[in-house]
Amino acid sequence: MAQKIIIDTDPGQDDAVAILLALASPELEVRAITAVAGNVPLALTQRNARIVCEIAGRTDVPVLAGCDAPLKRPLVTAEHVHGKTGLDGVDVYEPELPLTEGHAVDRIIEELRAAPGEIILCPLGPLTNIAAALQKAPDIAGKIARIVLMGGAYFEVGNITPAAEFNIYVDPEAAAVVFGSGVPITVLPLDVTHKVLTTRARIDAFRALGRIGETVAAWTDFFERFDVAKYGGEGAPLHDPCVIAWLLKPELFSGREINVEIEVESELTRGMTVADWWGVTDRPKNALFIGDVDADGFFELLTERLGRY
Ligand code: BDR
Ligand code: CA
């Protein structure tokens, strides 16, 4: 039986690739795609999620809009990485696929109550929708099979500030709710995503696949300009698809069960994931923090799945 998942997302080119990977994978049943404000405002992330479903030919998947701002702070966006539309690199249009009615937070709660213990939540953006759902319906904490999220950093530290990764930085209070929820969590931090780089050979392999591969190559070509200028190296990190790849082939990854706490007080280190990698405290383990990945295996999987379109 396919694993039921909900993808909570702020597309974002790398979010889009993660969605394409999930929708191409029969091991996964995508129950809903829930949009959140993050890389760009909600009006664009929900539209972009619908565009990705149309590109994938999967207009059967419900797309819902969620929170348009973090729990307690003004929204910070990342157009400097993703472009004005969030999906720069391809032509962005108003999709025919309508939004599904209702609020994403309510849909997450309903799905979990209808299938307790069966759904994995896959947040690819700020954790606002997930935290709002946990606050509105505390009973769902015991009904979430696992949360597998892209966010945070340890050795690689920050990308939006010297201390913090973007998704956690944007809504640290939401992240604190999630990490304090008691739900089993897998974290795909920058330490991992900065190892899956969009090298020329890997992107050429996408391009050779035809329409979907060319779309993915156009997206990675776009955000690569920014990332290569920033980090140097051979290509850009493909962050969010790591979440879906971990679900499909966890053997490509390795990590440790550790304690992770979120900095919410200090402005200097706001959104830092204080990850006790070396076990120097006796704080309870609350997350499987991934530290390494077989990058070639990851790209082999992604290319093979994109080739199924
Ligand atoms: C994360 O932030 C966003 O820019 C990406 O989509 C990814 O989810 C990386 O820090
Ligand atoms: Ca994202």
Side-chain angles (χ1 to χ4, degrees):
M1 253 199 7
Q3 171 64 55
K4 296 184 176 81
I5 65 169
I6 294 175
I7 301 177
D8 189 74
T9 178
D10 63 336
Q13 294 89 349
D14 61 319
D15 301 71
V17 180
I19 294 168
L20 290 175
L21 174 59
L23 293 178
S25 297
E27 302 93 326
L28 303 176
E29 177 189 339
V30 182
R31 298 288 310 159
I33 297 177
T34 53
V36 68
N39 287 323
V40 286
L42 181 69
L44 303 188
T45 60
Q46 56 90 346
R47 177 204 61 188
N48 293 350
R50 289 181 291 129
I51 290 175
V52 178
C53 288
E54 280 193 357
I55 290 174
R58 290 294 304 276
T59 50
D60 57 306
V61 178
V63 178
L64 292 97
C67 299
D68 63 3
L71 295 183
K72 292 190 175 164
R73 301 176 188 253
L75 178 65
V76 176
T77 52
E79 284 88 355
H80 61 292
V81 184
H82 300 275
K84 253 210 332 258
T85 67
L87 286 186
D88 276 28
V90 301
D91 285 339
V92 172
Y93 59 96
E94 183 52 38
E96 277 172 30
L97 173 65
L99 258 185
T100 295
E101 267 178 41
H103 196 286
V105 168
D106 294 326
R107 181 66 178 246
I108 290 169
I109 294 168
E110 281 160 26
E111 291 280 341
L112 289 164
R113 285 182 175 161
E118 290 179 24
I119 298 178
I120 293 180
L121 301 181
C122 301
L124 310 178
L127 291 160
T128 318
N129 285 344
I130 311 300
L134 283 162
Q135 287 181 330
K136 187 168 180 183
D139 63 287
I140 64 168
K143 299 184 170 73
I144 303 170
R146 177 170 283 273
I147 296 174
V148 184
L149 66 92
M150 191 280 133
Y154 177 50
F155 292 104
E156 282 281 328
V157 201
N159 60 356
I160 184 77
T161 72
E165 180 280 330
F166 179 79
N167 289 341
I168 308 296
Y169 174 82
V170 172
D171 199 343
E173 284 77 15
V177 168
V178 169
F179 280 86
S181 66
V183 176
I185 297 175
T186 301
V187 183
L188 283 302
L190 295 180
D191 307 271
V192 172
T193 68
H194 280 204
K195 289 178 179 151
V196 293
L197 299 177
T198 56
T199 61
R200 264 313 90 204
R202 288 164 177 168
I203 298 312
D204 287 346
F206 291 156
R207 209 171 263 112
L209 298 172
R211 185 182 62 93
I212 291 279
E214 282 163 15
T215 303
V216 169
W219 281 330
T220 56
D221 278 350
F222 178 83
F223 70 72
E224 200 179 274
R225 288 188 206 116
F226 168 82
D227 280 329
V228 170
K230 181 173 172 189
Y231 302 112
E234 297 181 90
L238 204 44
H239 306 284
D240 294 338
C242 288
V243 164
I244 307 300
W246 186 82
L247 291 175
L248 295 171
K249 275 200 158 189
E251 64 274 20
L252 294 175
F253 299 85
S254 59
R256 293 182 187 181
E257 295 282 351
I258 63 168
N259 174 269
V260 180
E261 303 290 336
I262 310 296
E263 176 58 58
V264 292
E265 300 292 340
S266 153
E267 264 317 298
L268 184 65
T269 55
R270 156 185 173 184
M272 185 170 188
T273 41
V274 181
D276 189 7
W277 183 261
W278 300 114
V280 294
T281 73
D282 54 8
R283 292 195 284 259
K285 295 177 172 144
N286 60 352
L288 172 60
F289 200 83
I290 304 296
D292 208 356
V293 58
D294 167 359
D296 286 332
F298 167 89
F299 276 96
E300 217 169 276
L301 171 70
L302 180 57
T303 311
E304 187 268 318
R305 293 304 161 102
L306 294 177
R308 294 187 184 195
Y309 281 102

